[in-house]
Amino acid sequence: MTATKPIKKILIANRGEIAVRVIRAAKELGIQTVAVFSDADQFSLHVKLADFAVRLPGNTSAETYLNVPVLVKAIKESQADAVHPGYGFLSENADFVDAVTMAGAKFIGPSAKAMRLMGDKIAAKRLMKEHKVPCTPGSEGPLKDLNDLQNHAKTVGYPMILKATAGGGGRGMRVVRTDADLAEAFAACTREAISYFGNPAVFCEKYIENPRHIEVQVLFDEQGNGVHLFERDCSVQRRHQKLIEEAPSSYLSHDQRMEIGRRAVTAAKAAGYASAGTIEFICESPDHVYFMEMNTRIQVEHTVSEEITNIDLVKWQIRVAQGEVLSMKQEDIKLRGWAIEARINAEDPAKGFLPSPGVVSSVRFPSGPGIRIESHLYPGYEIPQYYDSMVAKLIVWGEDRKTAMARLNRALGEFEIAGVPTTAKFHEAVLRHPIFIDGKMTTSFVEKEADFFKQEFLKVQSEDVDVAALLAAVFAADDQNLSQSGTLANSDSVGLRSRWFDSARHV
Ligand code: MV4
């Protein structure tokens, strides 16, 4: 038995909903919490909910949530004995893991070594191959020069994709479709690799057109015991920003599900991984599922895996960081029902998803059976312009996919954030699309169906206008009706949703 070292005080090096999520998990484990906040986040919910808070002067991410020396100072001053990085910001920065460790605190996540290994896409792919995890066909290592790439093009064929080894999440990639474009793409990709990641190494792969994006949640303790919590389907995305995630995936059969899960556990074990992590796969067909990369952090969409397994991943991250051994075996983890998450961003889908920071005048979150909200919003909160635009996650659970979709639709109908446009309306349109309803979406779905979504927005807007015009006409005809019929909208509500009638006048 390895000794456990109880954590007493966690500093959360993050903001927004994930900071709130971590604070809640820590509190339930009887652990104190330290929030850090930028000037723009002075009135943010994570600051109100934490036991302590440390100001990080400035507004930009670089000055605050990405500022390692300032965070190290906050760790020391607050005497936190552990740090949770959330997602984004420094969550996959191995140098930050080292800095936290040097400051005498426990990093809640994998070792710097495992993080560095999986952060190098070529090294990660090599490791997977060694462990017989299928990978996308392509160059085994970094491309030496254009000649090397031209030789690979002959075996891999077109279309092909060039990726920076230090990249990931869609950055530093180039699709090449012809011989003529090869030289220019290679030069551009190498240039980007240097300027974005400070590492010129680039590799090539067969480009899978219209893939499904499926990822497997894994959870490992520091003794090397690990399990998977089945897969998530994240195919509904736009420009590498996920919009809807669900678990499990309607793409896989039971046997394919168990196989992809086993591969993910093999992959994480090979990396010497501890904590919660995600193995991303790209699917050409249900039988051609290739390892793509590992995300060495808790992800935004971890919630859907929690909902179908009844396992609290953030609490388990904290527990394994204390040296605790996983109490469950793979056969203890039962897949129950279906979960869908809709990311609600302060963005205007009618304006190309333009960010829409500003004051939230009122908030009405849905509730009732099978509904979970993860959000840092409250009435009067001002969404700052400096950070990610995600302001809420709406997660629903149902016995099956159909039930979950109906529940998400019901919940979106109740959902209201007034003051700023959000992506909630877009999600309602996705739920009306036959490809989504049939579970047949690929990563090109949103882009390819752009016309459908435009039409849906026009319809919604004209419906609102029609109702408004109708009511205006009614009011003009009979002034008395003003107080007896209208819409259930107040000055803070968005749009016209329900119409009401005074039944007493109609009997
Ligand atoms: C690919 C691919 C097709 N073929 N690799 C994008 C994010 C990064 N993790 C890798 N990505 C892709 N790699 C090969 N060989 C297509 C994508 C891709 C994608 C992957 C997952 C989710 C959304 C995506 C959107 C566009 C492209």
Side-chain angles (χ1 to χ4, degrees):
M1 259 300 283
T2 323
T4 60
K5 186 173 181 288
I7 291 169
K8 295 195 184 73
K9 195 190 272 184
I10 300 175
L11 180 140
I12 299 100
N14 215 303
R15 63 177 302 281
E17 71 83 19
I18 194 64
V20 171
R21 170 79 185 88
V22 175
I23 290 167
R24 286 173 174 157
K27 281 193 176 171
E28 290 181 21
L29 291 172
I31 299 171
Q32 290 196 306
T33 52
V34 183
V36 293
F37 63 99
S38 67
D39 289 332
D41 276 337
Q42 187 182 352
F43 302 110
S44 203
L45 187 61
H46 73 287
V47 181
K48 298 177 202 285
L49 296 188
D51 299 299
F52 307 94
V54 180
R55 179 183 166 224
L56 311 175
N59 285 321
T60 64
S61 296
E63 290 172 292
T64 58
Y65 304 104
L66 287 172
N67 192 336
V68 176
V70 161
L71 286 163
V72 165
K73 199 163 149 263
I75 294 163
K76 288 180 176 162
E77 280 174 6
S78 64
Q79 297 185 310
D81 57 0
V83 173
H84 196 299
Y87 51 69
F89 295 122
L90 295 166
S91 61
E92 296 189 274
N93 185 319
D95 294 339
F96 182 57
V97 180
D98 287 335
V100 168
T101 310
M102 288 295 289
K106 173 77 188 173
F107 181 83
I108 301 174
S111 67
K113 191 178 170 211
M115 197 181 270
R116 281 201 180 93
L117 174 63
M118 295 317 251
D120 182 326
K121 308 301 163 207
I122 292 173
K125 247 183 113 168
R126 260 200 203 115
L127 184 70
M128 292 311 120
K129 284 208 156 161
E130 274 170 36
H131 289 82
K132 312 253 181 303
V133 176
C135 297
T136 324
S139 65
E140 303 275 306
L143 296 161
K144 290 181 202 77
D145 49 32
L146 181 59
N147 187 44
D148 190 21
L149 174 57
Q150 282 162 338
N151 286 330
H152 281 296
K154 283 174 200 139
T155 49
V156 175
Y158 292 103
M160 196 161 61
I161 186 166
L162 303 179
K163 296 181 177 181
T165 190
R171 298 179 315 146
M173 308 187 327
R174 270 279 188 308
V175 178
V176 196
R177 296 187 181 275
T178 66
D179 267 329
D181 299 332
L182 210 51
E184 151 67 17
F186 184 47
C189 197
T190 306
R191 231 185 297 121
E192 277 179 20
I194 296 167
S195 70
Y196 295 169
F197 316 109
N199 180 348
V202 167
F203 64 105
C204 68
E205 282 181 350
K206 173 187 180 186
Y207 180 65
I208 315 292
E209 305 256 22
N210 309 322
R212 276 300 263 243
H213 174 82
I214 294 179
E215 56 186 35
V216 178
Q217 177 70 55
V218 296
L219 176 64
F220 274 70
D221 62 28
E222 297 192 342
Q223 291 71 31
N225 308 298
V227 293
H228 68 81
L229 281 74
F230 309 104
E231 81 283 3
R232 298 185 283 258
D233 195 314
C234 308
S235 299
V236 182
Q237 57 89 43
R238 182 186 170 272
R239 299 190 181 171
H240 303 294
Q241 295 296 313
K242 292 166 185 167
L243 295 163
I244 293 181
E245 303 102 339
E246 57 184 291
S249 171
S250 52
Y251 197 62
L252 303 179
S253 67
H254 173 82
D255 288 354
Q256 287 160 342
R257 171 164 303 120
M258 290 310 167
E259 178 59 26
I260 200 175
R262 274 193 295 273
R263 284 182 196 172
V265 170
T266 303
K269 191 153 181 83
Y273 197 82
S275 194
T278 299
I279 314 286
E280 280 189 14
F281 295 92
I282 194 160
C283 311
E284 194 169 23
S285 71
D287 297 313
H288 292 85
V289 172
Y290 306 117
F291 167 84
M292 199 160 49
E293 58 189 69
M294 180 171 194
N295 299 321
T296 57
R297 60 172 190 274
I298 192 81
Q299 286 185 264
V300 173
E301 61 271 30
H302 74 276
T303 53
V304 291
S305 304
E306 292 185 325
E307 292 302 312
I308 59 158
T309 59
N310 219 10
I311 290 171
D312 188 318
L313 283 162
V314 178
K315 274 190 189 170
W316 270 110
Q317 281 191 299
I318 297 169
R319 287 199 179 110
V320 301
Q322 297 182 132
E324 283 183 46
V325 173
L326 285 186
S327 64
M328 65 293 228
K329 303 228 175 311
Q330 192 62 55
E331 56 270 27
D332 301 327
I333 302 178
K334 301 270 186 278
L335 197 173
R336 193 175 141 262
W338 210 281
I340 311 178
E341 171 177 276
R343 296 191 189 191
I344 314 290
N345 294 351
E347 293 172 0
D348 191 346
K351 289 182 183 156
F353 293 80
L354 182 74
S356 54
V359 175
V360 175
S361 48
S362 76
V363 183
R364 185 176 62 217
F365 285 144
S367 62
I371 305 287
R372 172 174 170 186
I373 295 273
E374 296 286 343
S375 177
H376 58 293
L377 288 191
Y378 58 83
Y381 173 73
E382 181 172 2
I383 301 164
Q385 58 172 313
Y386 302 99
Y387 319 107
D388 192 88
S389 59
M390 195 179 74
V391 292
K393 305 189 300 202
L394 167 56
I395 305 109
V396 300
W397 181 90
E399 296 80 57
D400 51 31
R401 192 167 186 269
K402 199 166 166 237
T403 314
M405 283 194 293
R407 187 163 273 165
L408 180 57
N409 192 48
R410 186 269 288 175
L412 285 165
E414 293 179 21
F415 196 98
E416 196 171 87
I417 292 175
V420 298
T422 72
T423 49
K425 280 274 165 282
F426 177 83
H427 296 308
E428 288 186 292
V430 171
L431 285 170
R432 290 192 290 267
H433 199 297
I435 292 178
F436 182 81
I437 292 169
D438 293 345
K440 297 266 156 60
M441 58 287 177
T442 71
T443 55
S444 334
F445 166 63
V446 176
E447 203 178 38
K448 279 192 178 164
E449 298 303 317
D451 283 344
F452 172 90
F453 293 114
K454 263 180 222 147
Q455 283 301 319
E456 289 294 303
F457 282 116
L458 288 178
K459 239 191 272 171
V460 169
Q461 275 163 7
S462 65
E463 266 167 25
D464 277 3
V465 169
D466 285 349
V467 174
L470 185 87
L471 289 167
V474 169
F475 294 161
D478 182 359
D479 244 80
Q480 275 188 316
N481 273 347
L482 253 179
S483 58
Q484 271 85 34
S485 84
T487 70
L488 290 178
N490 59 43
S491 58
D492 269 347
S493 317
V494 258
L496 302 158
R497 187 159 280 144
S498 318
R499 296 175 64 188
W500 63 271
F501 300 94
D502 188 335
S503 60
R505 281 178 62 87
H506 297 283
V507 287

Tab-separated table of all heavy atoms in Angstrom, residues 417-457:
chain	number	residue	atom	x	y	z
A	417	ILE	N	-30.879	33.517	-21.118
A	417	ILE	CA	-29.849	34.445	-20.661
A	417	ILE	C	-30.182	35.751	-21.357
A	417	ILE	O	-30.161	35.819	-22.581
A	417	ILE	CB	-28.428	33.973	-21.040
A	417	ILE	CG1	-28.064	32.703	-20.260
A	417	ILE	CG2	-27.402	35.068	-20.751
A	417	ILE	CD1	-26.723	32.095	-20.655
A	418	ALA	N	-30.543	36.761	-20.592
A	418	ALA	CA	-30.927	38.033	-21.197
A	418	ALA	C	-29.780	39.024	-21.132
A	418	ALA	O	-28.995	39.026	-20.192
A	418	ALA	CB	-32.150	38.605	-20.486
A	419	GLY	N	-29.697	39.843	-22.157
A	419	GLY	CA	-28.676	40.889	-22.183
A	419	GLY	C	-27.638	40.665	-23.257
A	419	GLY	O	-27.108	41.618	-23.822
A	420	VAL	N	-27.316	39.383	-23.516
A	420	VAL	CA	-26.327	39.075	-24.553
A	420	VAL	C	-26.839	37.910	-25.398
A	420	VAL	O	-27.487	37.007	-24.872
A	420	VAL	CB	-24.953	38.694	-23.943
A	420	VAL	CG1	-24.353	39.845	-23.138
A	420	VAL	CG2	-25.054	37.448	-23.081
A	421	PRO	N	-26.573	37.917	-26.716
A	421	PRO	CA	-26.953	36.756	-27.511
A	421	PRO	C	-26.090	35.542	-27.142
A	421	PRO	O	-24.929	35.702	-26.765
A	421	PRO	CB	-26.687	37.189	-28.953
A	421	PRO	CG	-25.827	38.399	-28.890
A	421	PRO	CD	-25.940	38.979	-27.515
A	422	THR	N	-26.671	34.346	-27.221
A	422	THR	CA	-25.922	33.124	-26.918
A	422	THR	C	-26.176	32.074	-27.989
A	422	THR	O	-27.027	32.248	-28.863
A	422	THR	CB	-26.325	32.515	-25.552
A	422	THR	OG1	-27.626	31.940	-25.688
A	422	THR	CG2	-26.291	33.544	-24.444
A	423	THR	N	-25.467	30.970	-27.892
A	423	THR	CA	-25.599	29.893	-28.864
A	423	THR	C	-26.782	28.958	-28.567
A	423	THR	O	-26.969	27.980	-29.282
A	423	THR	CB	-24.297	29.069	-28.910
A	423	THR	OG1	-23.928	28.736	-27.570
A	423	THR	CG2	-23.175	29.847	-29.558
A	424	ALA	N	-27.577	29.268	-27.533
A	424	ALA	CA	-28.699	28.386	-27.163
A	424	ALA	C	-29.659	28.167	-28.337
A	424	ALA	O	-30.137	27.051	-28.558
A	424	ALA	CB	-29.439	28.947	-25.946
A	425	LYS	N	-29.927	29.214	-29.099
A	425	LYS	CA	-30.828	29.121	-30.255
A	425	LYS	C	-30.258	28.178	-31.328
A	425	LYS	O	-30.996	27.464	-31.996
A	425	LYS	CB	-31.039	30.509	-30.883
A	425	LYS	CG	-32.051	31.351	-30.144
A	425	LYS	CD	-33.469	31.057	-30.635
A	425	LYS	CE	-34.509	31.600	-29.671
A	425	LYS	NZ	-34.672	30.737	-28.468
A	426	PHE	N	-28.941	28.207	-31.473
A	426	PHE	CA	-28.302	27.326	-32.442
A	426	PHE	C	-28.536	25.859	-32.073
A	426	PHE	O	-28.842	25.030	-32.935
A	426	PHE	CB	-26.794	27.630	-32.523
A	426	PHE	CG	-26.066	26.704	-33.453
A	426	PHE	CD1	-26.053	26.949	-34.816
A	426	PHE	CD2	-25.417	25.578	-32.978
A	426	PHE	CE1	-25.405	26.091	-35.687
A	426	PHE	CE2	-24.766	24.714	-33.843
A	426	PHE	CZ	-24.758	24.978	-35.197
A	427	HIS	N	-28.397	25.554	-30.788
A	427	HIS	CA	-28.593	24.174	-30.337
A	427	HIS	C	-30.010	23.687	-30.623
A	427	HIS	O	-30.219	22.534	-30.978
A	427	HIS	CB	-28.285	24.058	-28.845
A	427	HIS	CG	-26.856	24.360	-28.524
A	427	HIS	ND1	-25.815	23.750	-29.175
A	427	HIS	CD2	-26.287	25.204	-27.628
A	427	HIS	CE1	-24.670	24.209	-28.696
A	427	HIS	NE2	-24.930	25.097	-27.761
A	428	GLU	N	-30.984	24.581	-30.469
A	428	GLU	CA	-32.369	24.209	-30.786
A	428	GLU	C	-32.484	23.829	-32.257
A	428	GLU	O	-33.177	22.882	-32.613
A	428	GLU	CB	-33.324	25.359	-30.434
A	428	GLU	CG	-33.491	25.539	-28.931
A	428	GLU	CD	-34.542	26.576	-28.568
A	428	GLU	OE1	-34.312	27.763	-28.837
A	428	GLU	OE2	-35.578	26.190	-27.999
A	429	ALA	N	-31.774	24.568	-33.115
A	429	ALA	CA	-31.787	24.262	-34.555
A	429	ALA	C	-31.107	22.918	-34.833
A	429	ALA	O	-31.580	22.148	-35.670
A	429	ALA	CB	-31.112	25.390	-35.335
A	430	VAL	N	-30.010	22.622	-34.143
A	430	VAL	CA	-29.322	21.325	-34.318
A	430	VAL	C	-30.292	20.191	-34.002
A	430	VAL	O	-30.344	19.183	-34.718
A	430	VAL	CB	-28.059	21.230	-33.432
A	430	VAL	CG1	-27.484	19.816	-33.454
A	430	VAL	CG2	-26.994	22.233	-33.883
A	431	LEU	N	-31.091	20.366	-32.949
A	431	LEU	CA	-32.036	19.317	-32.539
A	431	LEU	C	-33.165	19.105	-33.545
A	431	LEU	O	-33.890	18.122	-33.465
A	431	LEU	CB	-32.629	19.653	-31.167
A	431	LEU	CG	-31.695	19.443	-29.979
A	431	LEU	CD1	-32.301	20.046	-28.718
A	431	LEU	CD2	-31.423	17.955	-29.757
A	432	ARG	N	-33.320	20.033	-34.490
A	432	ARG	CA	-34.329	19.869	-35.545
A	432	ARG	C	-33.733	19.268	-36.808
A	432	ARG	O	-34.443	19.015	-37.777
A	432	ARG	CB	-34.953	21.240	-35.887
A	432	ARG	CG	-35.851	21.808	-34.805
A	432	ARG	CD	-36.657	22.993	-35.323
A	432	ARG	NE	-35.833	24.171	-35.582
A	432	ARG	CZ	-35.616	25.155	-34.704
A	432	ARG	NH1	-36.171	25.097	-33.503
A	432	ARG	NH2	-34.873	26.190	-35.014
A	433	HIS	N	-32.411	19.085	-36.822
A	433	HIS	CA	-31.772	18.611	-38.056
A	433	HIS	C	-31.798	17.086	-38.154
A	433	HIS	O	-31.352	16.401	-37.233
A	433	HIS	CB	-30.327	19.110	-38.129
A	433	HIS	CG	-29.779	19.060	-39.528
A	433	HIS	ND1	-29.633	17.872	-40.205
A	433	HIS	CD2	-29.383	20.038	-40.370
A	433	HIS	CE1	-29.160	18.127	-41.409
A	433	HIS	NE2	-29.007	19.433	-41.545
A	434	PRO	N	-32.317	16.536	-39.276
A	434	PRO	CA	-32.433	15.077	-39.398
A	434	PRO	C	-31.103	14.335	-39.241
A	434	PRO	O	-31.085	13.216	-38.723
A	434	PRO	CB	-33.027	14.856	-40.787
A	434	PRO	CG	-33.053	16.181	-41.460
A	434	PRO	CD	-32.923	17.236	-40.417
A	435	ILE	N	-29.994	14.928	-39.686
A	435	ILE	CA	-28.698	14.236	-39.565
A	435	ILE	C	-28.342	14.063	-38.087
A	435	ILE	O	-27.888	12.997	-37.665
A	435	ILE	CB	-27.583	15.000	-40.335
A	435	ILE	CG1	-27.851	14.923	-41.849
A	435	ILE	CG2	-26.200	14.430	-39.993
A	435	ILE	CD1	-26.840	15.672	-42.708
A	436	PHE	N	-28.581	15.108	-37.293
A	436	PHE	CA	-28.303	14.986	-35.853
A	436	PHE	C	-29.290	14.024	-35.195
A	436	PHE	O	-28.903	13.158	-34.409
A	436	PHE	CB	-28.342	16.351	-35.157
A	436	PHE	CG	-28.006	16.246	-33.691
A	436	PHE	CD1	-26.679	16.162	-33.278
A	436	PHE	CD2	-29.009	16.172	-32.720
A	436	PHE	CE1	-26.348	16.024	-31.933
A	436	PHE	CE2	-28.689	16.031	-31.371
A	436	PHE	CZ	-27.354	15.964	-30.981
A	437	ILE	N	-30.557	14.165	-35.546
A	437	ILE	CA	-31.592	13.304	-34.961
A	437	ILE	C	-31.261	11.829	-35.221
A	437	ILE	O	-31.391	10.991	-34.336
A	437	ILE	CB	-32.993	13.675	-35.522
A	437	ILE	CG1	-33.398	15.075	-35.022
A	437	ILE	CG2	-34.042	12.622	-35.125
A	437	ILE	CD1	-34.617	15.670	-35.707
A	438	ASP	N	-30.765	11.542	-36.435
A	438	ASP	CA	-30.401	10.163	-36.787
A	438	ASP	C	-29.028	9.756	-36.263
A	438	ASP	O	-28.600	8.611	-36.473
A	438	ASP	CB	-30.425	9.982	-38.316
A	438	ASP	CG	-31.833	10.106	-38.889
A	438	ASP	OD1	-32.797	10.046	-38.093
A	438	ASP	OD2	-31.961	10.267	-40.120
A	439	GLY	N	-28.308	10.672	-35.638
A	439	GLY	CA	-26.976	10.370	-35.097
A	439	GLY	C	-25.951	10.129	-36.183
A	439	GLY	O	-24.993	9.388	-36.003
A	440	LYS	N	-26.114	10.782	-37.351
A	440	LYS	CA	-25.237	10.524	-38.499
A	440	LYS	C	-24.237	11.659	-38.741
A	440	LYS	O	-23.682	11.771	-39.833
A	440	LYS	CB	-26.102	10.312	-39.762
A	440	LYS	CG	-27.024	9.097	-39.676
A	440	LYS	CD	-26.370	7.885	-40.303
A	440	LYS	CE	-26.918	6.564	-39.758
A	440	LYS	NZ	-28.348	6.371	-39.971
A	441	MET	N	-24.007	12.501	-37.755
A	441	MET	CA	-23.164	13.682	-37.992
A	441	MET	C	-21.667	13.345	-38.011
A	441	MET	O	-21.222	12.442	-37.325
A	441	MET	CB	-23.441	14.768	-36.932
A	441	MET	CG	-23.228	14.368	-35.498
A	441	MET	SD	-24.538	13.265	-34.924
A	441	MET	CE	-23.944	12.920	-33.273
A	442	THR	N	-20.938	14.094	-38.849
A	442	THR	CA	-19.476	14.024	-38.877
A	442	THR	C	-18.957	15.405	-38.480
A	442	THR	O	-19.749	16.327	-38.263
A	442	THR	CB	-18.944	13.672	-40.284
A	442	THR	OG1	-19.146	14.806	-41.140
A	442	THR	CG2	-19.639	12.450	-40.852
A	443	THR	N	-17.623	15.550	-38.439
A	443	THR	CA	-17.060	16.840	-38.032
A	443	THR	C	-17.334	17.950	-39.049
A	443	THR	O	-17.117	19.117	-38.761
A	443	THR	CB	-15.541	16.731	-37.805
A	443	THR	OG1	-14.949	16.195	-38.985
A	443	THR	CG2	-15.218	15.826	-36.629
A	444	SER	N	-17.814	17.589	-40.249
A	444	SER	CA	-18.142	18.611	-41.264
A	444	SER	C	-19.612	19.025	-41.213
A	444	SER	O	-20.040	19.865	-42.004
A	444	SER	CB	-17.839	18.097	-42.671
A	444	SER	OG	-16.846	17.133	-42.675
A	445	PHE	N	-20.379	18.416	-40.294
A	445	PHE	CA	-21.834	18.607	-40.241
A	445	PHE	C	-22.258	20.083	-40.220
A	445	PHE	O	-23.032	20.531	-41.068
A	445	PHE	CB	-22.388	17.846	-39.022
A	445	PHE	CG	-23.786	18.198	-38.619
A	445	PHE	CD1	-24.854	17.965	-39.476
A	445	PHE	CD2	-24.048	18.742	-37.360
A	445	PHE	CE1	-26.156	18.278	-39.094
A	445	PHE	CE2	-25.340	19.059	-36.980
A	445	PHE	CZ	-26.395	18.829	-37.843
A	446	VAL	N	-21.735	20.858	-39.270
A	446	VAL	CA	-22.180	22.252	-39.101
A	446	VAL	C	-21.853	23.080	-40.344
A	446	VAL	O	-22.689	23.827	-40.854
A	446	VAL	CB	-21.565	22.888	-37.834
A	446	VAL	CG1	-21.946	24.363	-37.725
A	446	VAL	CG2	-22.010	22.130	-36.589
A	447	GLU	N	-20.630	22.889	-40.846
A	447	GLU	CA	-20.163	23.616	-42.024
A	447	GLU	C	-21.005	23.273	-43.255
A	447	GLU	O	-21.473	24.152	-43.966
A	447	GLU	CB	-18.724	23.186	-42.245
A	447	GLU	CG	-17.849	24.112	-43.015
A	447	GLU	CD	-16.438	23.533	-43.074
A	447	GLU	OE1	-16.307	22.290	-43.206
A	447	GLU	OE2	-15.491	24.294	-42.971
A	448	LYS	N	-21.219	21.966	-43.463
A	448	LYS	CA	-21.953	21.516	-44.648
A	448	LYS	C	-23.423	21.910	-44.602
A	448	LYS	O	-24.052	22.079	-45.639
A	448	LYS	CB	-21.868	19.987	-44.771
A	448	LYS	CG	-20.571	19.512	-45.389
A	448	LYS	CD	-20.689	18.034	-45.743
A	448	LYS	CE	-19.449	17.512	-46.408
A	448	LYS	NZ	-19.427	16.043	-46.398
A	449	GLU	N	-23.974	22.016	-43.400
A	449	GLU	CA	-25.395	22.323	-43.265
A	449	GLU	C	-25.626	23.797	-42.949
A	449	GLU	O	-26.667	24.168	-42.400
A	449	GLU	CB	-26.020	21.422	-42.181
A	449	GLU	CG	-25.957	19.939	-42.506
A	449	GLU	CD	-26.619	19.593	-43.830
A	449	GLU	OE1	-27.705	20.123	-44.114
A	449	GLU	OE2	-26.040	18.788	-44.591
A	450	ALA	N	-24.652	24.635	-43.270
A	450	ALA	CA	-24.743	26.072	-42.981
A	450	ALA	C	-26.050	26.677	-43.504
A	450	ALA	O	-26.663	27.509	-42.828
A	450	ALA	CB	-23.542	26.807	-43.549
A	451	ASP	N	-26.482	26.240	-44.688
A	451	ASP	CA	-27.717	26.781	-45.269
A	451	ASP	C	-28.930	26.441	-44.417
A	451	ASP	O	-29.793	27.282	-44.196
A	451	ASP	CB	-27.921	26.262	-46.699
A	451	ASP	CG	-27.022	26.982	-47.691
A	451	ASP	OD1	-26.490	28.053	-47.318
A	451	ASP	OD2	-26.842	26.463	-48.815
A	452	PHE	N	-28.966	25.195	-43.930
A	452	PHE	CA	-30.064	24.785	-43.053
A	452	PHE	C	-30.130	25.710	-41.836
A	452	PHE	O	-31.195	26.211	-41.480
A	452	PHE	CB	-29.861	23.329	-42.595
A	452	PHE	CG	-30.838	22.873	-41.537
A	452	PHE	CD1	-32.047	22.288	-41.882
A	452	PHE	CD2	-30.548	23.026	-40.182
A	452	PHE	CE1	-32.948	21.865	-40.912
A	452	PHE	CE2	-31.441	22.614	-39.198
A	452	PHE	CZ	-32.645	22.031	-39.568
A	453	PHE	N	-28.965	25.947	-41.211
A	453	PHE	CA	-28.954	26.764	-39.989
A	453	PHE	C	-29.336	28.209	-40.283
A	453	PHE	O	-30.050	28.830	-39.502
A	453	PHE	CB	-27.603	26.635	-39.272
A	453	PHE	CG	-27.380	25.251	-38.734
A	453	PHE	CD1	-26.383	24.433	-39.242
A	453	PHE	CD2	-28.216	24.741	-37.743
A	453	PHE	CE1	-26.210	23.137	-38.768
A	453	PHE	CE2	-28.054	23.447	-37.265
A	453	PHE	CZ	-27.047	22.645	-37.779
A	454	LYS	N	-28.901	28.711	-41.430
A	454	LYS	CA	-29.297	30.079	-41.812
A	454	LYS	C	-30.814	30.159	-41.949
A	454	LYS	O	-31.451	31.071	-41.442
A	454	LYS	CB	-28.623	30.471	-43.132
A	454	LYS	CG	-27.349	31.282	-42.917
A	454	LYS	CD	-26.715	31.649	-44.257
A	454	LYS	CE	-25.210	31.469	-44.182
A	454	LYS	NZ	-24.622	31.052	-45.453
A	455	GLN	N	-31.382	29.172	-42.639
A	455	GLN	CA	-32.837	29.114	-42.825
A	455	GLN	C	-33.557	29.075	-41.479
A	455	GLN	O	-34.537	29.762	-41.263
A	455	GLN	CB	-33.225	27.861	-43.640
A	455	GLN	CG	-32.953	27.984	-45.117
A	455	GLN	CD	-33.701	29.161	-45.739
A	455	GLN	OE1	-34.821	29.409	-45.433
A	455	GLN	NE2	-33.076	29.911	-46.578
A	456	GLU	N	-33.034	28.253	-40.574
A	456	GLU	CA	-33.653	28.099	-39.259
A	456	GLU	C	-33.653	29.423	-38.497
A	456	GLU	O	-34.619	29.752	-37.822
A	456	GLU	CB	-32.922	27.029	-38.441
A	456	GLU	CG	-33.143	25.620	-38.934
A	456	GLU	CD	-34.590	25.146	-38.790
A	456	GLU	OE1	-35.111	25.159	-37.656
A	456	GLU	OE2	-35.204	24.790	-39.807
A	457	PHE	N	-32.576	30.180	-38.637
A	457	PHE	CA	-32.515	31.467	-37.936
A	457	PHE	C	-33.482	32.464	-38.534
A	457	PHE	O	-34.153	33.192	-37.817
A	457	PHE	CB	-31.087	32.014	-37.917
A	457	PHE	CG	-30.257	31.320	-36.885
A	457	PHE	CD1	-29.162	30.563	-37.239
A	457	PHE	CD2	-30.612	31.398	-35.546
A	457	PHE	CE1	-28.433	29.890	-36.289
A	457	PHE	CE2	-29.884	30.726	-34.583
A	457	PHE	CZ	-28.785	29.971	-34.954
